[in-house]
Amino acid sequence: MNRLRVALERRSLRFKLLLGFASLVLIVLGIGMQSLWIQHKLNGDVATLYQRGVLGVERVKDLQISYLQIGRTVRQALIATDAASRDQAIKQMSDARKVIPGDLRDLRTRTASADLDKLLDLFDARLAVYLRDVDKAVTLMN
């Protein structure tokens, strides 16, 4: 360490200033590169969070809407006074049922937790029972 200090003391003021400035520039560049790397990593994390979180919640809401729409259209079909409105309600119910499997598949690809997978399996089983009951109601109605 003493050798380094002695060597620096023998150098000119200009050399010492250039050495200090160069080392300061290297430190600033190092901090800047680290900041860019962290920002890139955070952008990736935000994109993953968006894909899994926000779009997953959107799929859950779509499932909820389809589920509610099935119940509503069955009720409309039951209280319909003419065959045309009953057929229209049954068609709307059929359309809502067609959306559910795709939304469930998409939601399964976005879940990363075993707990969520178990809940989706439970929902899938209960949905099958519900749709069976809906089919029975439509059969009885016809």
Side-chain angles (χ1 to χ4, degrees):
M1 193 69 183
N2 280 339
R3 245 189 219 170
L4 182 61
R5 193 180 68 181
V6 170
L8 280 176
E9 285 177 357
R10 291 185 182 169
R11 299 288 180 169
S12 67
L13 180 62
R14 181 178 180 184
F15 178 79
K16 292 176 194 174
L17 287 173
L18 284 175
L19 184 65
F21 181 72
S23 54
L24 184 64
V25 166
L26 285 175
I27 290 171
V28 168
L29 281 175
I31 291 172
M33 293 299 286
Q34 181 188 19
S35 297
L36 286 174
W37 179 74
I38 288 173
Q39 186 176 8
H40 176 72
K41 188 177 174 184
L42 284 174
N43 282 340
D45 292 345
V46 167
T48 301
L49 180 64
Y50 175 75
Q51 288 294 321
R52 292 190 179 216
V54 175
L55 294 180
V57 169
E58 180 182 351
R59 288 294 165 243
V60 169
K61 288 293 187 185
D62 290 345
L63 278 170
Q64 185 180 23
I65 289 168
S66 297
Y67 182 81
L68 294 173
Q69 191 173 14
I70 289 171
R72 184 184 55 121
T73 55
V74 167
R75 186 174 53 248
Q76 284 178 344
L78 288 172
I79 63 173
T81 57
D82 59 343
S85 58
R86 182 178 305 129
D87 290 341
Q88 181 183 5
I90 290 174
K91 184 187 178 313
Q92 288 175 352
M93 179 192 62
S94 175
D95 292 343
R97 285 180 76 160
K98 289 177 186 175
V99 173
I100 289 177
D103 286 343
L104 266 175
R105 249 190 330 273
D106 190 34
L107 185 59
R108 284 188 191 279
T109 62
R110 297 186 191 285
T111 59
S113 167
D115 293 337
L116 290 175
D117 287 338
K118 288 178 187 176
L119 289 173
L120 281 175
D121 291 338
L122 180 64
F123 174 77
D124 206 11
R126 290 186 179 173
L127 179 67
V129 171
Y130 176 71
L131 292 177
R132 221 178 3 222
D133 291 343
V134 165
D135 289 339
K136 284 180 188 177
V138 169
T139 302
L140 289 174
M141 179 181 56
N142 288 333

